[in-house]
Amino acid sequence: MTTTALMNQQFRLAARPVGMPKRSDWEQTTEPVRDINDGEIVVKALYLSLDPAMRGWMNEGKSYIRPVAIGETMRAGGVGVIVASKSDKFAVGDTVSGGIGVQQYWVGAADDKSANFYKISPAMAPLTTWLNTLGMPGMTGYFGLIESGQPKAGDTVVVSGAAGAVGMTVGQVAKQLGCRVVGIAGGKEKCDFVVNELGFDACIDYKNSSVKDGLKEHCPGGVDVFFDNVGGEILDTVLTRINLRARIVICGAISQYNNTTPVKGPANYLSLLVNRARMEGIVVFDYADRYHVGVAAMAKWMQEGTFKSREDVVDGLENFPEALLMLFEGKNFGKLVLKVADA
Amino acid sequence: MTTTALMNQQFRLAARPVGMPKRSDWEQTTEPVRDINDGEIVVKALYLSLDPAMRGWMNEGKSYIRPVAIGETMRAGGVGVIVASKSDKFAVGDTVSGGIGVQQYWVGAADDKSANFYKISPAMAPLTTWLNTLGMPGMTGYFGLIESGQPKAGDTVVVSGAAGAVGMTVGQVAKQLGCRVVGIAGGKEKCDFVVNELGFDACIDYKNSSVKDGLKEHCPGGVDVFFDNVGGEILDTVLTRINLRARIVICGAISQYNNTTPVKGPANYLSLLVNRARMEGIVVFDYADRYHVGVAAMAKWMQEGTFKSREDVVDGLENFPEALLMLFEGKNFGKLVLKVADA
């Protein structure tokens, strides 16, 4: 295959967004795929992962990962297929997961550290599941809950963003560990899903009911672990209901990512003092050397039928800007992925 | 000694304060000391401990300890002498520490759980030191730093309220453990004291200089442990300078205790996520079974001359309301104690 015959469409960051990202914050470019040198590969994107964390990567400033530069192709994880290889590491036809970026083709060294491609098995689970339960969100939920949340059987675990990619995993892992699990999600449909399909004990619909009342009703013994994906008022409300030595896992704060005003800090943080409780931040990359453990555990549960993965697929690379906004508007239902091409 | 000949002056809570406690929030009463029954004692107050935590005890609502009731004698720790005893546990003349309350005489069962009297040795350290380094503030700083802060030699430890009772202990313990120690305190005199007298490496005067600039200058390698007694803007500023896996010990938030508006939550709490850092609340009572370890360690350092205790003594029970306010105005210099009587 002559890769130079391939044209590559890309979304590049044109401007740092203020508040919600607009289409004008992106520049669409098309360029030919260059010839590859020894050790290099070309990955054809099939599905891209759309994640709340992407919003943070668009801002300047020190974080756990460097910001995407103006003019740079937007960073994104994805699954794809090797269409050209001058590396022993991957053969043409291999299915891989890694940092493809918001584009049709990724070109570079097979052992590129930041892209971090690794082979995945399409026979083991659908491709989109490798971006969800068996990918970053799944690893975030699995290791963040177990290592930072330290749930014990009988604990009450509350998770916000319960119908999102990470939240679904957290709740289901907690159920596997024998915990009482209460989700917080937006809307009746999502709440019904996590209770009826995923087996959560209860779900509080923050859009149509009081989170405070819901916690009183569904967590009569208080909250031992809170896995927070949203921040803002919900974090503050849960802080009023935590138990002695509760663990609060700070995974994200999607309610705050597009703020043009300062982030709302948790005014009730002194509940940590009263309850000798802990609030800890997590980043999935820290668990990279153990991903295989999480993949094996959850793949087994899925094969046994006691664990579910759900993805919400938007079709077409050109729809990237609008698809990304779905995350911040709470419109996706399950892990949001962008389909770029057929395998 | 006939205890019924003794008259007992007391400060009782008359109203729950809004903002700073006023004199009208207190009722002064005088009553005779009653006869004691078998198993009971009378403790004559010598020195009372004035602590920021007292402000919290005056509020209604669930906390780590029940609120002081309206009409009840204000809760306070203190040192005193046994002036009457029908208990085998204490003899007349014994010096004790425990929950005397804001009054001249405490009367009750020698084994009262909430007062928790225990003998102290006036030969080992001055009486006021038993309310400071060898008392609650010392135990708070010693165990809070070691168990929640987990400092390692070479770590940079920052402590707010550095010239206060807890802060002095934290900084000096951290120095003993081989850490770099930077205090934050209000005013040149306090800063000079913690650097020149207590051996801190540096101190940032938050009243006369920028905390942000001070942290940049004095913590060029970032902050590994932050022991926070004050909350508010200082907590938020330190959060911008923490290192990977930093430990933030939430001991108090004196800047927020008299707020009539909601507590200011730490807007920069997502720094916990970026840095996989931890924020944990502590309460000294949790370490009660190990107080003797902390007392022994710090008494030894004091005897060796490498550890100092400093108390700020206000004379006269009748000055209690005004003396308490000194804490919130940053007017005390060292542990604030109220002298009630001579031994």
Side-chain angles (χ1 to χ4, degrees), chain B residues 250-319:
Chain B
I250 301 295
C251 177
I254 198 169
S255 71
Q256 304 293 308
Y257 289 174
N258 293 291
N259 280 5
T260 49
T261 53
V263 166
K264 180 192 158 9
N268 295 325
Y269 85 104
L270 290 172
S271 176
L272 297 178
L273 192 162
V274 170
N275 294 295
R276 297 78 144 166
R278 194 179 70 191
M279 183 181 279
E280 188 171 49
I282 59 156
V283 171
V284 66
F285 307 131
D286 294 342
Y287 314 119
D289 60 340
R290 282 159 289 159
Y291 285 168
H292 62 282
V293 175
V295 167
M298 290 190 286
K300 177 169 173 285
W301 292 332
M302 283 194 284
Q303 282 159 6
E304 293 170 354
T306 59
F307 202 99
K308 291 181 185 170
S309 189
R310 173 172 175 147
E311 295 88 41
D312 192 339
V313 180
V314 174
D315 199 355
L317 183 69
E318 68 278 11
N319 295 317

Side-chain angles (χ1 to χ4, degrees), chain B residues 210-227:
Chain B
S210 149
V211 174
K212 189 178 175 185
D213 292 346
L215 290 169
K216 276 187 194 169
E217 179 183 348
H218 298 297
C219 308
V223 177
D224 299 299
V225 178
F226 177 45
F227 193 106

Side-chain angles (χ1 to χ4, degrees), chain B residues 83-157:
Chain B
V83 292
S85 174
K86 291 190 178 177
S87 159
D88 294 340
K89 200 173 169 191
F90 300 107
V92 169
D94 281 352
T95 308
V96 296
S97 178
I100 292 175
V102 184
Q103 58 185 349
Q104 292 175 291
Y105 294 95
W106 184 93
V107 184
D111 58 359
D112 183 283
K113 285 271 183 287
S114 62
N116 190 33
F117 284 106
Y118 56 93
K119 281 186 221 179
I120 59 171
S121 160
M124 195 169 165
L127 288 182
T128 55
T129 301
W130 285 97
L131 294 178
N132 187 14
T133 309
L134 302 184
M136 291 299 129
M139 299 303 109
T140 303
Y142 182 88
F143 288 104
L145 174 69
I146 290 177
E147 302 214 354
S148 179
Q150 301 186 348
K152 298 180 300 294
D155 276 355
T156 294
V157 174

Side-chain angles (χ1 to χ4, degrees), chain A residues 62-64 228 230-232 235 240-243 245 250-253 256-257 262-270 272-283 285-286, chain B residues 62-64 228 230-232 235 240-243 245 250-253 256-257 262-270 272-283 285-286:
Chain A
K62 186 194 163 206
S63 187
Y64 63 95
D228 189 26
V230 307
L235 171 56
T240 67
R241 305 292 303 171
I242 59 174
N243 285 336
R245 307 204 185 286
I250 302 295
C251 177
Q256 305 293 308
Y257 290 173
V263 165
K264 180 193 158 9
N268 295 325
Y269 84 105
L270 290 174
L272 298 177
L273 192 163
V274 171
N275 294 294
R276 299 81 144 161
R278 194 180 71 191
M279 184 182 279
E280 188 171 50
I282 59 156
V283 171
F285 307 131
D286 293 341
Chain B
K62 187 193 165 207
S63 186
Y64 63 93
D228 189 28
V230 306
L235 171 56
T240 67
R241 304 293 302 170
I242 59 173
N243 285 336
R245 307 204 184 285
I250 301 295
C251 177
Q256 304 293 308
Y257 289 174
V263 166
K264 180 192 158 9
N268 295 325
Y269 85 104
L270 290 172
L272 297 178
L273 192 162
V274 170
N275 294 295
R276 297 78 144 166
R278 194 179 70 191
M279 183 181 279
E280 188 171 49
I282 59 156
V283 171
F285 307 131
D286 294 342

Side-chain angles (χ1 to χ4, degrees), chain A:
Chain A
M1 180 174 205
T2 308
T3 57
T4 43
L6 300 172
M7 293 302 286
N8 183 24
Q9 285 187 40
Q10 304 164 307
F11 276 88
R12 293 172 182 271
L13 187 62
R16 303 217 176 270
V18 177
M20 286 276 187
K22 303 175 300 295
R23 194 166 253 276
S24 61
D25 294 326
W26 304 107
E27 182 193 10
Q28 270 188 277
T29 54
T30 304
E31 57 184 35
V33 173
R34 67 170 170 79
D35 278 334
I36 56 176
N37 301 313
D38 282 349
E40 290 190 325
I41 54 174
V42 177
V43 181
K44 178 187 176 186
L46 301 177
Y47 291 96
L48 298 179
S49 175
L50 301 188
D51 297 284
M54 295 169 92
R55 181 64 188 82
W57 304 340
M58 299 164 74
N59 294 336
E60 264 188 311
K62 186 194 163 206
S63 187
Y64 63 95
I65 193 169
R66 69 166 183 79
V68 175
I70 297 292
E72 186 181 4
T73 301
M74 180 61 192
R75 183 186 295 139
V79 294
V81 60
I82 304 287
V83 294
S85 175
K86 290 189 177 176
S87 158
D88 294 339
K89 200 174 168 190
F90 299 107
V92 170
D94 282 351
T95 309
V96 296
S97 178
I100 292 175
V102 184
Q103 58 185 350
Q104 292 175 293
Y105 294 95
W106 183 92
V107 185
D111 59 0
D112 183 284
K113 284 275 183 283
S114 62
N116 189 32
F117 285 106
Y118 56 93
K119 282 186 222 180
I120 61 172
S121 160
M124 196 168 163
L127 289 182
T128 54
T129 301
W130 285 98
L131 292 178
N132 187 15
T133 309
L134 302 183
M136 290 300 129
M139 299 304 110
T140 303
Y142 182 89
F143 288 104
L145 174 68
I146 290 176
E147 302 214 353
S148 179
Q150 300 185 349
K152 300 181 299 292
D155 276 356
T156 295
V157 175
V158 173
V159 54
S160 61
V166 174
M168 285 171 48
T169 304
V170 168
Q172 291 185 93
V173 171
K175 283 305 296 178
Q176 294 280 346
L177 298 176
C179 300
R180 173 173 179 76
V181 177
V182 177
I184 303 174
K188 184 176 187 312
E189 195 188 7
K190 288 179 180 176
C191 281
D192 286 349
F193 169 71
V194 301
V195 172
N196 299 330
E197 296 294 316
L198 304 184
F200 285 33
D201 294 286
C203 189
I204 300 164
D205 175 0
Y206 75 87
K207 286 190 175 166
N208 298 300
S209 68
S210 149
V211 173
K212 189 177 175 188
D213 292 345
L215 290 169
K216 277 187 194 170
E217 179 183 348
H218 298 298
C219 308
V223 177
D224 299 299
V225 178
F226 177 45
F227 193 106
D228 189 26
N229 293 299
V230 307
E233 291 294 340
I234 287 176
L235 171 56
D236 248 340
T237 303
V238 177
L239 276 168
T240 67
R241 305 292 303 171
I242 59 174
N243 285 336
L244 209 63
R245 307 204 185 286
R247 288 80 68 195
I248 297 169
V249 185
I250 302 295
C251 177
I254 199 169
S255 72
Q256 305 293 308
Y257 290 173
N258 293 290
N259 280 5
T260 49
T261 53
V263 165
K264 180 193 158 9
N268 295 325
Y269 84 105
L270 290 174
S271 176
L272 298 177
L273 192 163
V274 171
N275 294 294
R276 299 81 144 161
R278 194 180 71 191
M279 184 182 279
E280 188 171 50
I282 59 156
V283 171
V284 66
F285 307 131
D286 293 341
Y287 313 119
D289 60 341
R290 282 159 289 160
Y291 285 167
H292 61 280
V293 175
V295 168
M298 290 190 284
K300 177 168 172 285
W301 292 331
M302 283 195 282
Q303 282 159 6
E304 293 170 355
T306 60
F307 202 99
K308 291 180 185 172
S309 188
R310 173 172 175 147
E311 295 90 40
D312 191 340
V313 181
V314 174
D315 200 356
L317 183 69
E318 68 277 11
N319 295 317
F320 165 69
E322 291 75 24
L324 183 64
L325 294 190
M326 290 173 64
L327 290 169
F328 304 110
E329 293 160 350
K331 287 188 180 164
N332 60 303
F333 193 157
K335 165 67 189 163
L336 187 64
V337 297
L338 188 66
K339 182 175 178 179
V340 179
D342 286 308

